[in-house]
Amino acid sequence: VGSEWVDVNNIGTYTSSKSWTYYDFTSEYVSSKWRVYCTKGTASSIAFTEFQFYGRTPITSQSIQLNPNMTSATTPYGEVITDATPLSNTQPYYAFDGTILDMFKAELANKYLGYIFDVPTVVKRFTINSVQTTAGQRWYKAKLQVSADGTTWTDFDTYTNTNHANV
């Protein structure tokens, strides 16, 4: 895990042997508010087991996790955001808790899941690990969005035809 970075402009085809999907940005954007907005798919719901943001150390260019492993929507810092209603006694912060044992399950058609950093942050990569909630159903269109004010969101990148459970 952590060695297979995928250029965001060439996501490729889903391989069932890969449990994580990594997206490496080709450009930089500084923002404190980041989210994935799911817009289309064949599934009525999806379960995110992990969703993390990464940056690079300036000297060694090593990848470092930028958001903490969350124990609630606002602990230890930052804020997990969503406009989706959780299903099956799940919580949105489960997608950011650092373990694949918990998951956030929701109907995410035209809904978002994201994270607000305490300060503007340069994100270079993000990872999503998700599972199908119904066999054979997939999400295949989503947008990574950023915002300066939390009201107006700008599409940073769009993912289409990914043809797998991971956005």
Side-chain angles (χ1 to χ4, degrees), residues 3 7 9 19 21 24 26 29 34 37-38 40 48-49 54 69 75-76 86 88 93 131 133 142 152 155 158:
S3 62
D7 187 329
N9 296 320
S19 59
T21 299
D24 192 1
T26 55
Y29 192 90
W34 295 81
Y37 185 83
C38 300
K40 192 171 184 179
F48 286 107
T49 57
Y54 291 86
N69 293 334
T75 306
S88 305
Y93 79 87
V131 295
T133 54
T152 303
D155 294 348
T158 301

Side-chain angles (χ1 to χ4, degrees), residues 69-85:
N69 293 334
M70 301 298 284
T71 57
S72 76
T74 58
T75 306
Y77 58 86
E79 181 181 1
V80 176
I81 58 170
T82 188
D83 64 345
T85 303

Side-chain angles (χ1 to χ4, degrees), residues 57-75:
T57 59
I59 296 173
T60 64
S61 291
Q62 280 189 301
S63 181
I64 56 171
Q65 183 177 325
L66 299 173
N67 59 286
N69 293 334
M70 301 298 284
T71 57
S72 76
T74 58
T75 306

